[in-house]
Amino acid sequence: EDKVVQSPLSLVVHEGDTVTLNCSYEVTNFRSLLWYKQEKKAPTFLFMLTSSGIEKKSGRLSSILDKKELFSILNITATQTGDSAVYLCAVLNTDKLIFGTGTRLQVFP
Amino acid sequence: DAGVIQSPRHEVTEMGQEVTLRCKPISGHNSLFWYRQTMMRGLELLIYFNNNVPIDDSGMPEDRFSAKMPNASFSTLKIQPSEPRDSAVYFCASDSRTGATNVLTFGAGSRLTVL
């Protein structure tokens, strides 16, 4: 059965800290891995990764994929209170996205 | 572009009642997905459609759940009869399979509470 596992489940940090969120997967017919950020409402897209070793960056966020070891990490540097959210990892197989349960990040001033 | 539109945003009903959730995907998107989100199980795919045709409904929990997509701009998810364990946020999402991105765009969700 296809599955996506995220860790940690929850993380509490202070502003300015750097965090690393993990995502491992077991999926047949892997096509790509996506990261989403979910605040109070719908998940919003952050990154899509298809190739190993190529880092995607957007401001203080970055992500990389390792297709050999079947995992991805999402890094957030110099965290801010606005980064508080649930971060979801999802893997696309042939035709559907399979989500992990998410990592809840809380950033305190 | 108004994005994916879901209604109602909130629904509170009593056990045994029928619930109908509605979704209007982004114009031009030919794939539509229904997800359910709970604290315990996260985001679970219930069913998805491609060009209005149901492709995979293996995530539908039981016969009480049904979904239709009569045309490219409208889909419904129905629960009959509803039970308290159906309480969750139900998301609709769409994307365009004509491209290679497969980046789902989510609606704001319908929060269902079954008493």
Side-chain angles (χ1 to χ4, degrees), chain B residues 4 12-13 22-23 27 36-37 40 43 45 51 54-55 60 63 69 77 79-80 82 89-90 92 97 109:
Chain B
V4 177
V12 180
T13 190
R22 298 173 179 80
C23 175
S27 177
R36 176 172 69 175
Q37 187 174 40
M40 292 296 294
L43 266 169
L45 178 64
N51 293 321
I55 303 300
M60 296 285 261
D63 292 345
M69 192 166 186
L77 177 67
I79 309 172
Q80 166 63 17
S82 58
V89 180
Y90 290 81
C92 175
R97 288 304 160 102

Side-chain angles (χ1 to χ4, degrees), chain B residues 8-58:
Chain B
R9 294 293 307 279
H10 300 276
E11 176 88 10
V12 180
T13 190
E14 292 186 333
M15 183 173 65
Q17 297 298 307
E18 178 180 295
V19 173
T20 300
L21 308 179
R22 298 173 179 80
C23 175
K24 177 178 166 48
I26 291 173
S27 177
H29 281 190
N30 57 352
S31 291
L32 182 141
F33 301 77
W34 282 101
Y35 283 88
R36 176 172 69 175
Q37 187 174 40
T38 61
M39 288 289 291
M40 292 296 294
R41 300 171 70 91
L43 266 169
E44 301 173 279
L45 178 64
L46 300 177
I47 185 172
Y48 76 95
F49 297 82
N50 197 30
N51 293 321
N52 312 337
V53 176
I55 303 300
D56 184 348
D57 66 354
S58 59

Side-chain angles (χ1 to χ4, degrees), chain A residues 42-92:
Chain A
T44 54
F45 171 75
L46 293 175
F47 297 113
M48 183 172 73
L49 303 151
T50 55
S51 301
S52 281
I54 298 175
E55 186 182 50
K56 292 281 185 87
K57 281 182 72 73
S58 176
R60 296 174 295 102
L61 277 66
S62 63
S63 183
I64 198 161
L65 173 68
D66 186 328
K67 290 169 72 174
K68 182 179 178 183
E69 300 297 329
L70 308 183
F71 78 90
S72 173
I73 60 172
L74 175 68
N75 280 320
I76 309 175
T77 58
T79 52
Q80 302 172 357
T81 55
D83 296 327
S84 297
V86 174
Y87 290 84
L88 295 164
C89 172
V91 174
L92 179 70

Side-chain angles (χ1 to χ4, degrees), chain B residues 93-110:
Chain B
S94 69
D95 77 359
S96 171
R97 288 304 160 102
T98 56
T101 56
N102 297 118
V103 174
L104 290 184
T105 301
F106 285 81
S110 294

